[in-house]
Amino acid sequence: MRSIHAKLSAVVLGAALSSLGCENEAPTPIPSAGSKEPRHGGVITFATFGDVRSLDPANISDGLAPQILEATLAGLVDYDRDGKIVPDLAERWTVEDEGRTYRFYLRQGVRFHDGEEVTADDVKRSAERALHPSTPNPNASYFEHIVGYKDYAAKKTEHLEGVVVEGRYVVTFHIEAPDATFLPVLALPVLRPLCKNAGDRYSDAWQPCGAGPFKLPPGGWQQGMQIALTRNETYFRPGLPYLDGFTLVLRMNFTTQGYRFARGTLDVRRDFLAPEILRFQADSRWTPFAGFDAATTVNGESMNTEMPPFDNIEVRRAVACAIDREELRLLRASNLTAADQLVPPAVFGHDDSLPGQRYDYAAALEHMKRAGYAYDPVTKTGGYPHVVTYLAYNQGMSEFVAQVLAQQLAKIGIVIEVRRVNYATFIALRSRRHTSAMGPSFWTQDFPDALSFFLPLFHSSAINDENSGNSSFYSSPRFDEVVDRAKTELDAKKRKKYYDEAQKILIDDAPWAFSFYYRWYVQWQPYVRDYRAHPVWTNEVSRTWLDRTTGPVAARAMLPDDGRFWSERALASLFGARR
């Protein structure tokens, strides 16, 4: 029987590889029809290995939700494709009182997805909902300069004094001091006007309803599986969007994404195994339909400063010195560059001249000694006496980094035990107080400025018992003071000096050991038209259109309709072959 199984396995596997192309080659692109004018229709499909916990703009706890919120919610202002702030629901605005008053004039006749008109009352209601003290909003600190915010957050007042309705279509924000980030953060999803069914208080059960180009229909979010949006037929920008829908498939592993992309049931791809990127980059058929995002994502090892052993600053410094970032970079050299500071290279506030964190084995051993956990690398004795649980998530770089990190930290006497969970569980546990001692952390800019990293990740106001954006639970009055001063400084050169000081504090206090910056490689099929990497948003498709001649063709014969695939491992298991 074994010979029959082996032959059958070889035949099926050979057919599978034939239909998909040689494993050392990129698949054949699916061509465009060559239309000169945008065409309406079609659903664009993306996928991710991750998952989404919340689609409420008042509780953004992962990096995937913003692309859905950008598609479903419209703000007073937004970022255009060049990263500039432009009018959206507001047709114009004025700035008065030396930067302390912003008055917005709304477009008239704009409709929410439920058919109700967007008014100034909706702006105020949504702002108060997002910033109410009962709301687990990790980004609330972005808006603490709004007049009356502190009293509102302390439950001393029922309404937010600084947001004033001055007519059906006029709303004014008063802030306590000039704020360099006010318009940039207002362009984020956090305070975007929501349908009246959102109420005036946060609820876990609410699903997004706004005035964006796409809407979430009933049953559109199948948790752990996919989010399927449909075209907003009443969108206020005439003719847009061109697409009938936008689907994000969740928890799809990299290999399945590869098969689906080759087949044409996945239109744009962002998650790759390292060899795949090299194959696509080397293939001239694909190079016109690819690009790298700017380096706006930082990764690091988050150490909970409230839990041992990382409540000891010397242990944190030891970890920062023990990590060989070049070794980590080689895990995916096409995407990664070594990180020595928090702010990524493409974000204002990064400074190559700063003396950042770096690999220094001797210094790491010295810091362990100062912490009271001296380690002898010759006899392999000493070190921290307890095993540290390292929380990681399935799929992605996390799994590979954890293996390398375990080896590097063992050399200074810290033993980590990797606990792997799914992505949603990882986000929940990482952001819960007194729960996770150590694990990977990452952040992509919300807006192109260092404050987009300082405030949600390390400012003490971002600490919550649940859904804490500050996952290291790091609190430094000195750091808070420097960042607060930077926030009110409108002069970019002066603000940069504050940024340098804040970076130096983080480098030394080491709530994170910075590891690498990540540049996403994006590949799309030729029939996906007018798609490009956006400087702020992921998968922004309000003007994208599909120009296909035929349906999916590649690999159809070997792939089940549900998108699963026969891997070599699966075939071996199916036919009893031994590996």
Side-chain angles (χ1 to χ4, degrees):
M1 290 296 293
R2 180 179 300 174
S3 62
I4 295 175
H5 288 163
K7 289 180 180 179
L8 184 57
S9 176
V11 170
V12 175
L13 180 59
L17 292 177
S18 175
S19 68
L20 293 172
C22 175
E23 63 179 22
N24 293 320
E25 297 177 357
T28 301
I30 300 175
S32 165
S35 302
K36 295 183 179 180
E37 297 296 328
R39 297 165 56 180
H40 285 88
V43 176
I44 194 166
T45 302
F46 303 89
T48 175
F49 68 87
D51 202 353
V52 174
R53 261 187 96 223
S54 169
L55 287 178
D56 195 306
N59 183 20
I60 300 173
S61 56
D62 60 70
L64 296 174
Q67 62 186 286
I68 303 300
L69 299 176
E70 168 64 11
T72 54
L73 309 178
L76 295 176
V77 294
D78 201 350
Y79 289 96
D80 68 10
R81 287 182 162 188
D82 296 318
K84 297 178 180 178
I85 295 174
V86 295
D88 199 24
L89 290 178
E91 60 184 6
R92 62 187 176 91
W93 69 87
T94 60
V95 182
E96 304 165 15
D97 301 331
E98 298 181 334
R100 291 177 173 83
T101 298
Y102 289 78
R103 182 168 286 107
F104 297 90
Y105 299 84
L106 303 185
R107 301 175 191 271
Q108 298 184 25
V110 176
R111 299 286 171 179
F112 284 122
H113 297 156
D114 62 6
E116 294 287 332
E117 187 180 23
V118 181
T119 69
D121 285 327
D122 297 309
V123 176
K124 181 176 176 66
R125 172 181 53 80
S126 300
E128 291 184 342
R129 177 185 182 277
L131 301 179
H132 192 269
S134 65
T135 300
N137 190 341
N139 298 303
S141 61
Y142 281 155
F143 304 95
E144 63 185 3
H145 286 326
I146 295 177
V147 170
Y149 170 84
K150 293 179 177 63
D151 285 344
Y152 187 66
K155 300 183 180 180
K156 294 181 180 180
T157 59
E158 288 294 319
H159 295 284
L160 193 54
E161 177 187 350
V163 183
V164 181
V165 174
E166 298 182 348
R168 186 172 177 82
Y169 304 110
V170 181
V171 62
T172 298
F173 286 75
H174 298 284
I175 56 179
E176 295 175 339
D179 186 349
T181 69
F182 181 72
L183 281 178
V185 300
L186 195 63
L188 303 181
V190 184
L191 297 194
R192 292 190 177 184
L194 308 178
C195 298
K196 290 181 176 59
N197 65 11
D200 57 4
R201 295 293 181 267
Y202 171 83
S203 169
D204 284 334
W206 183 79
Q207 295 193 8
C209 177
F214 297 92
K215 59 185 178 182
L216 182 68
W221 182 14
Q222 301 176 49
Q223 295 194 16
M225 298 178 64
Q226 70 174 22
I227 300 170
L229 308 179
T230 59
R231 185 176 190 267
N232 176 13
E233 299 291 346
T234 62
Y235 186 49
F236 64 90
R237 298 190 185 278
L240 296 178
Y242 297 114
L243 299 168
D244 286 339
F246 171 127
T247 296
L248 176 65
V249 183
L250 307 169
R251 296 186 182 183
M252 183 183 289
N253 67 53
F254 289 14
T255 309
T256 304
Q257 289 188 41
Y259 278 71
R260 284 235 182 154
F261 186 71
R263 186 186 184 196
T265 58
L266 183 64
D267 304 304
V268 180
R269 192 175 173 201
R270 296 175 63 87
D271 295 340
F272 290 90
L273 297 172
E276 294 179 286
I277 294 180
L278 299 177
R279 287 198 289 271
F280 277 105
Q281 289 178 325
D283 192 327
S284 60
R285 300 172 302 170
W286 283 105
T287 50
F289 312 106
F292 276 101
D293 287 350
T296 60
T297 298
V298 62
N299 289 62
E301 304 307 325
S302 176
M303 294 169 277
N304 192 322
T305 61
E306 296 181 338
M307 295 178 65
F310 304 115
D311 53 354
N312 186 325
I313 191 173
E314 292 296 339
V315 174
R316 301 199 304 269
R317 288 169 174 166
V319 171
C321 289
I323 294 178
D324 186 341
R325 293 156 181 84
E326 178 61 18
E327 198 171 70
L328 294 179
R329 186 190 69 82
L330 293 176
L331 289 173
R332 185 168 291 190
S334 58
N335 294 94
L336 308 183
T337 55
D340 62 353
Q341 59 191 275
L342 172 66
V343 183
V347 178
F348 177 69
H350 179 87
D351 193 331
D352 288 328
S353 68
L354 283 179
Q357 294 177 350
R358 62 187 180 88
Y359 174 63
D360 188 330
Y361 185 59
L365 292 175
E366 179 61 26
H367 285 303
M368 288 296 288
K369 182 178 179 180
R370 293 177 186 175
Y373 305 117
Y375 178 73
D376 186 342
V378 177
T379 62
K380 295 181 171 31
T381 57
Y384 184 64
H386 307 291
V387 174
V388 176
T389 299
Y390 181 89
L391 186 69
Y393 55 90
N394 299 321
Q395 299 295 327
M397 290 294 297
S398 171
E399 290 186 288
F400 304 111
V401 170
Q403 297 172 30
V404 176
L405 185 69
Q407 298 173 13
Q408 294 181 350
L409 296 188
K411 295 178 182 178
I412 63 169
I414 297 177
V415 177
I416 65 173
E417 180 180 72
V418 180
R419 177 191 175 191
R420 292 183 176 87
V421 296
N422 64 48
Y423 187 72
T425 302
F426 168 78
I427 292 294
L429 296 180
R430 182 192 66 172
S431 59
R432 181 178 300 157
R433 204 162 202 163
H434 306 303
T435 300
S436 173
M438 186 181 192
S441 277
F442 44 87
W443 193 258
T444 299
Q445 66 168 24
D446 287 324
F447 55 95
D449 190 277
L451 287 171
S452 180
F453 294 82
F454 293 147
L455 290 169
L457 296 179
F458 297 108
H459 198 281
S460 62
S461 63
I463 295 176
N464 292 300
D465 289 341
E466 297 278 350
N467 301 307
S468 180
N470 185 339
S471 62
S472 58
F473 297 89
Y474 169 75
S475 180
S476 166
R478 181 177 165 223
F479 175 81
D480 287 355
E481 179 184 1
V482 171
V483 171
D484 291 344
R485 288 181 178 179
K487 195 169 185 289
T488 61
E489 179 54 67
L490 299 183
D491 184 280
K493 290 183 179 180
K494 293 180 180 178
R495 194 163 73 252
K496 174 61 167 56
K497 292 181 180 179
Y498 287 123
Y499 290 173
D500 289 347
E501 185 176 354
Q503 290 245 72
K504 290 175 183 177
I505 294 171
L506 293 177
I507 289 166
D508 186 51
D509 286 354
W512 281 23
F514 307 117
S515 51
F516 53 84
Y517 305 119
Y518 195 97
R519 288 194 313 159
W520 290 92
Y521 177 77
V522 188
Q523 189 78 61
W524 56 92
Q525 288 282 3
Y527 59 77
V528 179
R529 305 288 295 274
D530 204 9
Y531 178 87
R532 66 184 74 172
H534 192 282
V536 178
W537 306 120
T538 300
N539 296 333
E540 196 283 319
V541 293
S542 62
R543 298 178 184 276
T544 300
W545 51 290
L546 300 181
D547 191 29
R548 297 186 70 148
T549 53
T550 59
V553 291
R556 181 186 297 275
M558 296 305 301
L559 291 174
D561 289 339
D562 63 3
R564 293 172 297 167
F565 65 99
W566 295 116
S567 66
E568 184 178 359
R569 182 188 300 273
L571 288 167
S573 174
L574 179 65
F575 295 113
R578 298 183 181 273
R579 296 179 61 84

